[in-house]
Each structure stands twice: as structure tokens, then as C-alpha cells.
Amino acid sequence: MRNSTRGLLLAASLVLAGSAFAAPAGGIVEHPPVQQGYGTGPYGGYGPVGPATSPAVVVPYLAPNGITVYPLSQSNNTVKPGPNSTVKVNYRGWLADGTEFDSSYSRGQPAVFELNKTIPCWQQGLQTVPVGSKVKLVCPPSTAYGANQVGNIPPDSTLTYEIDLLEVSN
């Protein structure tokens, strides 16, 4: 009886955890568990850090204003963009419901942006990323377009970007 109770509790816990532990197509863990506490993220950002001992868990960290940065691949390069840098990136962006709203991949060529002319999420998040690395940024509405509708992006949308930082120039 005792073992069956444990089994039921484990099954109930997994059902309640839902997608928090399931990797969707592409292997990106959408909401990995994060332990309480603060420390230095993989690119030097300061914020909550999770357990780094499991290769199945992506260790996110917080940039300013609640932006979550998930490292997807890490470069050994030490060059990072500054606030006035120009960045060359491949990226895709999607809404919380999974609708893709923009992609350099669909255009077949990388995009070039002056970092100080992008949304605050990109300005703050990309300054923590070395050239050659790939990250996923989760941007709260206040760091994206806020209450404004921009194209097919509704007001007050949380945006998610997958960004491959190819080059930086100052």
C-alpha cells in the first residue's frame, strides 16, 4: 500500500508539473525548474540560477527587467555587443501561443541591427551574449512593445526570440 501511494503521488506531481519538465520539439525546455538563489549566469549575467548538474536542464538567468536568457549554445568568444554596437543575427520570434511573427531564417539571410534601436529586451539581453552563441530571450511586455500593437503582435505580449549572434561591430 505504501509503494502504491508513492506511485500515485509521483504520477500526480508529474501531471501537475506538466510542460515544466517536457522538452518540446527542438529540445528547448520552455520552463525549466529554477532553484531559489542568485548567482552568475553562463555569460556573466546576475540573476536566479538553476541546477547545472543535469544536461537535460537549461540553466536560465535573469537580465534586467525580468528578461529571461536561456543559453542554447555557448561560444568561447569573449566579444560581446555594447549598447551602441551593430549586431548581425539569425533569429525567429514568436508569441506566447506559439505563433511565429518574424524570422530572418524565413527571409533566407541574417539581419543587421543597431542594438540601441531595438527593443529593450534585445538591448539588455544581447549585451550578455558572446559572439557565436545562441540564446533564447523571453521578453516581458514592458521590455518589448508594451501596450502598443506592432504589426501582428498584440498589445501587452510576452515575446520569445531565438537568436544566433553571428557578428558584432562597434
Side-chain angles (χ1 to χ4, degrees):
M1 182 71 166
R2 187 177 179 128
N3 285 338
S4 63
T5 303
R6 280 190 202 152
L8 287 173
L9 289 174
L10 176 59
S13 297
L14 290 174
V15 167
L16 290 173
S19 65
F21 297 101
I28 298 171
V29 178
E30 292 295 329
H31 303 288
V34 177
Q35 72 185 25
Q36 301 228 345
Y38 282 80
T40 302
Y43 303 126
Y46 185 76
V49 295
T53 57
S54 170
V57 175
V58 176
V59 181
Y61 66 100
L62 291 180
N65 297 323
I67 300 163
T68 308
V69 181
Y70 294 86
L72 301 178
S73 68
Q74 204 167 342
S75 163
N76 290 327
N77 200 324
T78 58
V79 176
K80 298 177 187 177
N84 298 312
S85 295
T86 299
V87 295
K88 182 176 184 180
V89 297
N90 267 320
Y91 73 97
R92 64 178 45 94
W94 62 93
L95 302 172
D97 68 3
T99 303
E100 187 173 279
F101 59 83
D102 195 11
S103 171
S104 66
Y105 296 103
S106 67
R107 291 188 294 277
Q109 64 182 16
V112 177
F113 298 107
E114 292 179 44
L115 197 55
N116 63 4
K117 294 184 180 174
T118 62
I119 61 175
C121 182
W122 277 50
Q123 292 175 25
Q124 296 168 12
L126 284 182
Q127 288 186 64
T128 67
V129 180
V131 173
S133 297
K134 188 173 190 174
V135 296
K136 181 173 90 169
L137 295 180
V138 179
C139 309
S142 64
T143 65
Y145 298 107
N148 302 311
Q149 171 138 0
V150 176
N152 58 354
I153 301 172
D156 298 316
S157 291
T158 296
L159 305 180
T160 302
Y161 290 93
E162 182 180 280
I163 304 169
D164 190 359
L165 182 57
L166 304 173
E167 293 178 18
V168 171
S169 59
N170 292 323

